[in-house]
Amino acid sequence: MRICGVIAEYNPFHLGHAHHLAETRRICGAETAIIAVMSGNFVQRGSFALLDKYTRAEMAARGGADLVVELPLAAALCSAEGFARGAVAMLAALGCDTLSFGSETADTDLLCHTARLLDTVDAQPAPTLPRGLSYAAARQKALERIDPAAAVLLSAPNNTLAVEYCRALADTPMRPLAIARRGAGHGAAAPAEGFASASYLRGLAYADKLAACAPYMPPDAYRLLADSAAKGLAPAAAPEGALLALLRDRLYHGLLLTGSADGFDQRLQKAVYRARDYEEAVALAQTRRFPAARVRRAYLRAALSIPANAPVAPAYLRVLALGPRGRALLRRAPKALPVIVKPVSEKRLPEALQPALRRDAFADDLFALALPDPAARAGGSHFRGTPRYVP
């Protein structure tokens, strides 16, 4: 059986995601098994997910994925490079032979060529960044001097991730498969060609216009979103007071550090000290050189006690959702990593894994504080969660 991996956040799962999974199976064959590595309750832009990881994973399982596993926190709250390396390592551990991803440019050869050029750029001594220029922008300018056509690719967010996926694949036997995105692009302010971006749908959900999401989501995914909202489990909104309190604690204990040598840590610390709420702390630290997503990731990593040097590769596999074929995949998967199906069994795992497992539990408790229904904010949600099975 061919096994194809995808890397996603499904925040929330929409028609564009369903199209990607359907195209993947059409190209790879109807019998292909699809494994999705998905960010958990916190996503790569440095924010709380719209709704909990198990519900988002069920959306994916009903939309075409056979098995959904959670991306480790350290990788989920990382730059594109770390995000890609952690996810690819997890798919490799599960025996995938192909990685399918959506991108604005569905030219796999060009994306891989750009990946090799970026390896060359990154091997050079780090440049002194011009004032106001982010590291990503400086990297793109360096690439322009080598191959302008390749540098243009990095102007599109999904191309940037696709290039990082290709770089991460270099040390694995997996092959890349690029599939053209359809309709609205990442962050698009309005739908296009019947497709809406996840950020557009989140905007509707937070504006209490949930019904307007329905045309742009598969029926099962919309039903799960609407049910979660009706039960007070979505949309999740960051608990600003709790976050700022955690960050002040890290500040006073000298733990609000990223290891960055570019003045970033000093901006983070000063902003947390001066801010009157969490969003103000983000705004005060943000500059053109330090984009909001980088600031938010750094704050969440500090709040969740994720060390700057935390490995992005998985130490265990946490199952979020599966179907019959996914169950078969788990039985035949390489046994290189422990598989967590029921969180209540975690205490039986090796002591070396316990710090990361406790961090996962705390992360889920922090996410619970973001839920609309106060009754859902009690501690221990991590240990009550179980994978969603989709027959």
Side-chain angles (χ1 to χ4, degrees):
M1 179 170 56
R2 189 170 182 182
I3 306 175
C4 186
V6 300
I7 301 167
E9 294 191 309
Y10 298 142
N11 189 32
F13 189 88
H14 54 62
L15 291 176
H17 298 133
H19 167 74
H20 172 243
L21 293 180
E23 278 294 284
T24 297
R25 189 161 272 125
R26 182 187 67 80
I27 294 169
C28 295
E31 298 306 312
T32 298
I34 296 179
I35 300 176
V37 171
M38 189 190 81
S39 298
N41 286 331
F42 300 91
V43 295
Q44 202 257 344
R45 62 192 293 268
S47 63
F48 287 61
L50 179 70
L51 67 168
D52 76 277
K53 60 189 179 185
Y54 287 107
T55 303
R56 288 170 25 247
E58 182 180 347
M59 289 178 175
R62 293 188 181 280
D66 296 298
L67 175 65
V68 185
V69 294
E70 183 177 359
L71 181 64
L73 266 173
L77 292 173
C78 203
S79 65
E81 181 181 4
F83 181 90
R85 284 193 291 110
V88 166
M90 180 165 279
L91 291 172
L94 283 162
C96 290
D97 53 65
T98 305
L99 171 64
S100 173
F101 48 83
S103 57
E104 290 84 1
T105 301
D107 186 334
T108 304
D109 290 340
L110 179 57
L111 292 168
C112 290
H113 168 69
T114 305
R116 291 188 290 271
L117 293 180
L118 269 188
D119 285 337
T120 302
V121 169
D122 286 354
Q124 298 170 353
T128 300
L129 298 184
R131 185 175 180 82
L133 198 62
S134 69
Y135 174 72
R139 231 169 147 220
Q140 187 174 4
K141 282 194 170 295
L143 187 58
E144 276 179 9
R145 294 192 287 271
I146 302 172
D147 187 331
V152 169
L153 288 183
L154 301 186
S155 300
N158 290 286
N159 280 346
T160 300
L161 268 176
V163 168
E164 293 297 346
Y165 295 153
C166 291
R167 295 180 76 193
L169 288 175
D171 298 324
T172 77
M174 281 189 283
R175 296 166 295 175
L177 171 62
I179 293 178
R181 285 174 55 88
R182 288 186 59 185
H186 175 79
E193 301 173 30
F195 292 84
S197 68
S199 57
Y200 177 80
L201 296 176
R202 289 194 299 273
L204 292 176
Y206 285 115
D208 199 22
K209 299 177 180 177
L210 211 61
C213 296
Y216 309 108
M217 299 177 68
D220 282 338
Y222 176 72
R223 174 182 56 79
L224 288 165
L225 174 60
D227 286 352
S228 292
K231 295 173 182 175
L233 303 178
E240 295 206 1
L243 280 176
L244 190 58
L246 285 169
L247 292 173
R248 291 259 175 92
D249 174 75
R250 304 300 187 262
L251 174 66
Y252 282 109
H253 285 88
L255 299 175
L256 189 52
L257 299 168
T258 67
S260 176
D262 55 6
F264 185 50
D265 287 357
Q266 290 77 11
R267 286 199 69 88
L268 294 176
Q269 293 161 8
K270 186 179 293 186
V272 165
Y273 188 76
R274 291 174 53 202
R276 291 158 293 187
D277 58 48
Y278 177 70
E279 285 302 321
E280 187 177 18
V282 173
L284 289 172
Q286 176 187 356
T287 66
R288 286 180 61 194
R289 186 175 183 180
F290 306 133
R294 181 180 174 187
V295 172
R296 291 179 185 279
R297 284 195 300 269
Y299 280 155
L300 276 181
R301 289 177 71 95
L304 296 169
S305 299
I306 302 172
N309 61 350
V312 295
Y316 45 86
L317 301 173
R318 185 182 302 284
V319 178
L320 299 179
L322 71 167
R325 192 152 40 185
R327 183 173 281 172
L329 283 172
L330 283 181
R331 285 197 293 266
R332 59 174 283 183
K335 305 304 180 186
L337 298 174
V339 177
I340 300 173
V341 177
K342 295 182 178 180
V344 293
S345 67
E346 289 176 9
K347 292 181 181 179
R348 297 198 294 268
L349 293 175
E351 181 59 34
L353 298 180
Q354 294 303 317
L357 293 169
R358 286 192 291 270
R359 190 162 56 232
D360 288 351
F362 174 67
D364 288 349
D365 274 357
L366 181 60
F367 181 80
L369 295 179
L371 301 179
D373 182 5
R377 299 173 191 164
S381 62
H382 175 81
F383 299 103
R384 295 189 292 272
T386 54
R388 306 288 178 87
Y389 184 73
V390 178

